[in-house]
Amino acid sequence: MIFLLYFCLSVRAEGYDPEINVGDPRVEHSEDLTILGDRRVDEGVTSNVDVLRTVPGIIVTSSGGVGQPSFVFIRGADSEGTLVFLDGIPLNDPSLNNKAFDFSTLSLENIERVEVWKGPQSVLFGSGATGGVINIITKQGNGPLKKKLGVEIGAYNTLAANLSAQGSTDRFSYTALAGRFQTNGISV
């Protein structure tokens, strides 16, 4: 049985921009940059790993089914050469031998878009970006408090539930997400 419990809280001050700006306007038009919006509803994608699998030049490996470690390889480089950011904050795990980020621990529920920079990006992002960079931007609260509850039930005793709240004031915006996912999975 696989069980995941997650909680996410995001608070942004007025004028905060999580995009990584490199100061070169030509970068937005680069063929090495792919920007993915919220594709879950449009294409029936259910996990961040599925979103990344839609990008040419990216290979996603998983060590089993749902909830098992999943790593990304960009253009043949090892997962150590892929830097991962969440709202501009590095997520790579220095405790792992390969310093990679395990994508199975990240929920798709609060993601606004994903920016994928393919190929060596060390000049822009530092020495860890020899294979590429994945920058994940979370949704930003806007307006009065909005609450959302989602429940999904499926085969093999699968249950997914999440509760989110988001909004903004004059000085900052906020988003909070809590969820639970469990399944008995498929016996292999």
Side-chain angles (χ1 to χ4, degrees):
M1 179 189 240
I2 294 175
F3 172 76
L4 295 171
L5 184 63
Y6 53 88
F7 178 77
C8 172
L9 176 64
S10 175
V11 177
R12 294 189 180 136
E14 184 66 30
Y16 171 77
D17 185 5
E19 293 182 38
I20 298 174
N21 292 321
V22 294
D24 186 351
R26 295 172 297 170
V27 172
E28 286 187 26
H29 305 291
S30 170
E31 61 189 43
D32 293 335
L33 173 62
T34 303
I35 298 176
L36 306 169
D38 184 5
R39 299 170 68 151
R40 180 176 183 182
V41 176
D42 298 339
E43 298 180 10
V45 174
T46 59
S47 73
N48 57 36
V49 174
D50 292 337
V51 169
L52 292 172
R53 282 190 174 119
T54 65
V55 179
I58 289 187
I59 297 173
V60 179
T61 62
S62 297
S63 301
V66 176
Q68 299 303 311
S70 299
F71 299 99
V72 172
F73 301 85
I74 299 178
R75 290 192 175 168
D78 59 6
S79 58
E80 180 179 351
T82 301
L83 281 183
V84 181
F85 294 96
L86 179 68
D87 291 333
I89 300 170
L91 293 180
N92 294 66
D93 188 352
S95 68
L96 294 176
N97 287 340
N98 61 1
K99 296 176 182 60
F101 174 70
D102 179 7
F103 281 87
S104 68
T105 62
L106 185 65
S107 169
L108 185 63
E109 294 300 322
N110 200 32
I111 295 176
E112 180 178 316
R113 73 175 188 274
V114 178
E115 299 171 348
V116 179
W117 300 70
K118 294 179 276 189
Q121 303 293 331
S122 295
V123 172
L124 302 175
F125 298 98
S127 62
T130 56
V133 173
I134 298 174
N135 187 29
I136 302 163
I137 309 296
T138 57
K139 293 179 182 174
Q140 186 173 351
N142 189 5
L145 175 65
K146 297 177 195 99
K147 297 168 270 185
K148 179 180 166 187
L149 172 67
V151 177
E152 300 174 24
I153 300 173
Y156 305 104
N157 293 324
T158 301
L159 170 70
N162 61 62
L163 175 65
S164 66
Q166 61 179 327
S168 65
T169 66
D170 294 336
R171 302 187 73 177
F172 65 91
S173 65
Y174 55 90
T175 302
L177 170 72
R180 175 182 172 150
F181 177 84
Q182 74 178 38
T183 184
N184 288 342
I186 300 172
S187 179
V188 186

